[in-house]
Amino acid sequence: MLVTQHPVLRRFWYPVMPIADLTDGPQSFTLLGEPLVLWLTTEGEPAALRDRCCHRSAKLSMGIVQNGCVRCPYHGWSYNADGSCANVPQLDPGVAIPKTYRVDAFQCAERYGYVWVCLSEDPLLPLPEISEAEVSENRLIPQFYEPWQCSGLRVMENSFDNAHFSIVHAESFGVTEQPKPARSEIVPLELGLKVYATVPVVNPPTQQKNLNIPDRLTVREVESTWYVPFSRTLKITYPNGLMHLIFTAATPVSDRTSQLVQFCIRNDSEADASAESIIAFDRQVVNEDKVVLESTDYDTPVDVSCEQHMPSDQPGIIMRRQLAALIKIHEVQKDEPVLAGMSRIG
């Protein structure tokens, strides 16, 4: 599944950048092969346009923000958040700017400290709602924002794979003497997936402090949610009531590259466990995954007959089948009139 070749993937929201990065002026990001310029308007809202001036194709992200608009670095044409040209310095005062002076604009919003973009006017799903992030007593800790050389589907499958813990995570939390994966309750959704499991884990000294659990072994009560196509939450609850929820997105930059976006939400305080220590442990875990995932084929098949499987791969099989169905339906809709009731999914 080469992500840039399936237009249906443009109909989802993706986190593309920490909103704090836009305080320094316009920034560039490539989403599904689409070059974007992002900036903050006068109202402090994020905006996203195609990163090409309609005049001579200069990158708008190389310009500046002026009066809430992004100004081209070449001839100074300025564009509003809706993509229309607001100023052409070379025109005489009072001369109307042609309506054709515009660039494509995309849906853009801020949530959880990140800028999210949808390349379609008709997204198939809304922005994810993480109720734990709305609890004032909880804290949100930004963790990782970096490119990975692998497909988003590989990252998502890995997130729901209980069978790799004792191998890949032997140095962090995997129970090496127990290679059999924990049993899971799998709940497919119309667009998405939920998985519930009780997972025994090693609790190394650094984690004993982070979790306030002095035992060498403990268990995680896990509730995982997949948001089609490449986002998930992993909600972990420990025996002492501590909640550690991880949000991870593998935002598709190109066929070969995903931008990993990760933050966590916890119901404790900095005095209980420092953000630095929490990030350090999760960094170890993430790096263990990254080494393996970047060795996999980036053209991940959605045809389940293309790779071999075992029983614990069921979440990934469901993901592949859902994505294959989405792609098939979208391709049919391009060539045939849309039947009543099939214009939207979900």
Side-chain angles (χ1 to χ4, degrees), residues 62-313:
M62 294 174 59
I64 63 171
V65 176
Q66 190 175 70
N67 300 321
C69 299
V70 62
R71 193 186 77 172
C72 178
Y74 196 178
H75 295 92
W77 292 23
S78 295
Y79 297 90
N80 289 323
D82 65 4
S84 60
C85 189
N87 182 51
V88 178
Q90 294 79 18
L91 294 181
D92 292 332
V95 173
I97 299 173
K99 292 183 180 180
T100 55
Y101 286 15
R102 62 176 299 109
V103 296
D104 290 337
F106 302 102
Q107 292 197 76
C108 192
E110 185 274 335
R111 184 164 293 182
Y112 311 125
Y114 292 85
V115 180
W116 296 65
V117 173
C118 180
L119 298 177
S120 168
E121 289 298 319
D122 187 25
L124 291 175
L125 289 175
L127 283 164
E129 295 281 353
I130 305 174
S131 60
E132 292 81 1
E134 309 303 325
V135 178
S136 58
E137 292 81 7
N138 292 344
R139 55 174 171 154
L140 189 153
I141 303 173
Q143 292 192 306
F144 314 122
Y145 179 74
E146 60 197 30
W148 283 25
Q149 302 308 311
C150 67
S151 75
L153 180 52
R154 295 286 190 198
V155 178
M156 291 299 102
E157 286 189 326
N158 177 76
S159 299
F160 289 77
D161 176 13
N162 289 344
H164 76 287
F165 296 161
S166 64
I167 308 298
V168 175
H169 301 300
E171 298 299 319
S172 54
F173 68 86
V175 182
T176 56
E177 59 270 24
Q178 178 51 274
K180 291 187 177 180
R183 298 184 64 178
S184 300
E185 177 190 355
I186 302 171
V187 183
L189 307 174
E190 186 173 4
L191 271 181
L193 176 70
K194 278 189 174 291
V195 174
Y196 302 89
T198 300
V199 181
V201 295
V202 169
N203 191 32
T206 54
Q207 271 294 83
Q208 292 176 22
K209 295 179 181 179
N210 289 339
L211 305 179
N212 193 24
I213 297 175
D215 306 319
R216 190 184 69 84
L217 295 172
T218 187
V219 295
R220 296 174 172 179
E221 296 294 333
V222 172
E223 176 186 338
S224 298
T225 306
W226 174 49
Y227 304 94
V228 179
F230 307 127
S231 299
R232 64 100 193 214
T233 52
L234 169 64
K235 182 179 180 181
I236 302 168
T237 304
Y238 289 97
N240 62 355
L242 175 67
M243 183 269 296
H244 182 88
L245 183 149
I246 299 172
F247 170 88
T248 305
T251 296
V253 174
S254 66
D255 292 328
R256 294 174 178 265
T257 305
S258 303
Q259 187 76 15
L260 187 86
V261 178
Q262 182 165 308
F263 59 83
C264 75
I265 300 167
R266 288 174 60 113
N267 62 348
D268 63 353
S269 68
E270 183 72 13
D272 297 319
S274 71
E276 180 181 9
S277 178
I278 292 166
I279 293 171
F281 182 79
D282 284 353
R283 165 56 74 188
Q284 179 183 356
V285 174
V286 163
N287 282 352
E288 290 166 348
D289 283 323
K290 183 180 181 182
V291 169
V292 175
L293 291 176
E294 289 195 326
S295 76
T296 63
D297 294 338
Y298 64 89
D299 188 2
T300 312
V302 292
D303 182 345
V304 296
S305 68
C306 292
E307 294 182 336
Q308 303 304 307
H309 311 283
M310 57 183 174
S312 58
D313 293 325

